[in-house]
Amino acid sequence: MAAYVCPPAVIHGEHAVKTSQIVAEVRDRHPNAAWEPRIDGIAASTGIETRGWMLPLESAVAPGNGGGLRSLGVDAAQEALARDGFSPQDVERAIAALEAVPTPQTVQERTAPAWEAVQSYGERAARGALQIAGLDVADVDCLITSNSTTPALPGLDVALANRLSLRDDAMLLPASQWACVAGTRSLALAAELVAADPDRVVLVVIAEALSTTYQPADDTLESLIVRLLFADTATAVVVTGRQRRESVLRLDASWNHTLPGTQDLHRLETRSDGTHFVMDRRGPRAVQETVTAMWEWLRVRYQDEPGSWHPDVLLAHPGGTRVLEYMEQTMPDTWPSGLLDHSRDSYTTGNRGGAAVFDIMRRAYDAGQEPGSRAVLYAAAPGLSATALAGEWL
């Protein structure tokens, strides 16, 4: 399966949003929420002080442009008031008052600017990855893209093909529903593509504006947690079938796992005011099942070295620190400590969804990961499904 991966380009959201800003906004909007007395403790438990968004917090909490008459319309409201005997002056005053009533943003108002940002950030990441790999746009034979939070048709693949001026015979493979598993699953797919043609150059771009799931009107505890966790990031990486001077990771094997009956635990729902991320408290325990299955895959794969084999670095995005703790508790006692340090470090500035594994990989690269290190990459996503890869740092 040997595939070679160059260092990722990572573009973080340029608007720094502090946890204290989110807490203040939520507390002001929902002063009577049942969880309001606990909000400071919940915020502190995330370990996140600041996250980067592609758009500022103000854009997420601003009211819509239509006012209280958005759905009814001014003319219809005027006619109804006049029929009920309101004087022209009273009708004018009533219409002015209704138009001043703030209403939530529509799906279009919320997602259109985010979609534009996703394309722009994705282009920057793509150009950065090609520069890191020492390649030109003309060298790209295949483009794999993933973005789940701002769905569009045509999608990010076509947008980037035009923005980058890819060759017209380049293969475009969009994946709009990979979500958190995009990093590992895109690498697994890229490895299959270069195995079929070792001269093929695959560019992977993942761009997520997770801040679009920040819904000011929601007052559930789960919605509060979503507000606090997510960050916006665009990442890109080049995968080749032959080792290059710039290659830093060789992929040797991949593994996939899906848990039946878990499709409702985490999901995106599109409503009148935009995209909502809905999660069930049973989710982390279900994700743990995929971790257990991955341990078994590794045990069988390296069963000829039962006492000596272990990864030297584990690049993992299981959705949160709770599952990272479970991974540490359940990995073999003989494995060294600190395998998840880069994964933990990434979470201190937010959950990046599908872009997380590439961000974690970049952190390992910047930290000077030792050549010859045995690497395992893992991610789980709504579904629930997981993909892992095993390889070696070059």
Side-chain angles (χ1 to χ4, degrees), residues 269-307:
E269 292 184 354
T270 301
R271 304 174 188 169
S272 60
D273 56 350
T275 303
H276 295 245
F277 185 76
V278 181
M279 60 182 183
D280 190 289
R281 297 180 187 181
R282 297 171 296 164
R285 185 171 296 278
V287 175
Q288 290 173 7
E289 293 186 39
T290 71
V291 173
T292 302
M294 180 188 63
W295 291 155
E296 179 62 14
W297 170 64
L298 291 172
R299 186 193 66 78
V300 172
R301 177 171 174 77
Y302 298 103
Q303 59 187 336
D304 293 337
E305 310 172 69

Side-chain angles (χ1 to χ4, degrees), residues 36-378:
E36 194 280 334
R38 302 165 49 202
I39 188 171
D40 291 321
I42 294 170
S45 69
T46 66
I48 303 168
E49 294 185 359
T50 305
R51 77 282 291 137
W53 284 4
M54 294 181 184
L55 299 171
L57 175 62
E58 291 75 19
S59 68
V61 301
N65 296 322
L69 292 176
R70 184 199 305 273
S71 60
L72 180 62
V74 173
D75 292 342
Q78 288 174 331
E79 292 176 6
L81 291 169
R83 283 198 304 270
D84 283 352
F86 282 74
S87 69
Q89 294 81 7
D90 288 339
V91 168
E92 184 176 337
R93 284 194 295 269
I95 293 297
L98 289 170
E99 287 184 318
V101 175
T103 58
Q105 297 178 45
T106 63
V107 175
Q108 182 179 13
E109 288 172 336
R110 188 65 191 277
T111 59
W115 169 233
E116 180 59 36
V118 162
Q119 296 173 76
S120 176
Y121 273 71
E123 179 185 358
R124 290 166 56 194
R127 294 190 184 279
L130 289 171
Q131 182 177 18
I132 290 169
L135 294 169
D136 297 321
V137 170
D139 296 316
V140 177
D141 300 301
C142 177
L143 171 66
I144 300 173
T145 60
S146 182
N147 75 297
S148 303
T149 46
T150 48
L153 183 67
L156 185 60
D157 59 326
V158 174
L160 292 182
N162 285 278
R163 284 173 173 260
L164 297 171
S165 297
L166 292 183
R167 300 195 323 262
D168 57 12
D169 65 342
M171 183 190 302
L172 305 182
L173 293 173
S176 62
Q177 294 168 319
W178 273 347
C180 294
V181 83
T184 52
R185 192 155 295 169
S186 62
L187 290 179
L189 176 57
E192 296 289 344
L193 291 169
V194 299
D197 180 359
D199 292 322
R200 184 176 278 155
V201 173
V202 180
L203 173 64
V204 178
V205 181
I206 303 168
E208 293 287 15
L210 291 164
S211 59
T212 57
T213 65
Y214 190 110
Q215 296 297 344
D218 286 356
D219 62 357
T220 65
L221 177 61
E222 289 74 20
S223 175
L224 168 65
I225 295 171
V226 167
R227 286 175 169 92
L228 293 167
L229 290 183
F230 287 149
D232 296 348
T233 313
T235 59
V237 72
V238 169
V239 181
T240 59
R242 304 189 191 280
Q243 185 171 350
R244 299 178 54 81
R245 178 175 57 84
E246 297 85 0
S247 303
V248 295
L249 177 65
R250 186 190 70 242
L251 302 176
D252 298 322
S254 66
W255 165 89
N256 296 285
H257 189 76
T258 300
L259 290 175
T262 58
Q263 64 269 25
D264 292 331
L265 296 185
H266 302 91
R267 63 190 186 276
L268 284 179
E269 292 184 354
T270 301
R271 304 174 188 169
S272 60
D273 56 350
T275 303
H276 295 245
F277 185 76
V278 181
M279 60 182 183
D280 190 289
R281 297 180 187 181
R282 297 171 296 164
R285 185 171 296 278
V287 175
Q288 290 173 7
E289 293 186 39
T290 71
V291 173
T292 302
M294 180 188 63
W295 291 155
E296 179 62 14
W297 170 64
L298 291 172
R299 186 193 66 78
V300 172
R301 177 171 174 77
Y302 298 103
Q303 59 187 336
D304 293 337
E305 310 172 69
S308 60
W309 188 88
H310 60 76
D312 299 299
V313 63
L314 181 50
L315 313 179
H317 174 58
T321 55
R322 179 176 168 185
V323 185
L324 285 181
E325 293 171 358
Y326 176 82
M327 295 179 77
E328 289 176 330
Q329 294 165 2
T330 56
M331 65 178 61
D333 294 337
T334 56
W335 288 12
S337 61
L339 295 179
L340 290 165
D341 285 352
H342 301 305
S343 303
R344 286 190 172 280
D345 185 48
S346 179
Y347 277 117
T348 62
T349 48
N351 180 326
R352 293 175 170 79
V357 165
F358 288 177
D359 175 66
I360 298 166
M361 180 181 170
R362 181 72 206 196
R363 292 169 190 267
Y365 172 75
D366 290 341
Q369 189 66 37
E370 288 287 333
S373 297
R374 294 160 295 195
V376 172
L377 294 73
Y378 160 87

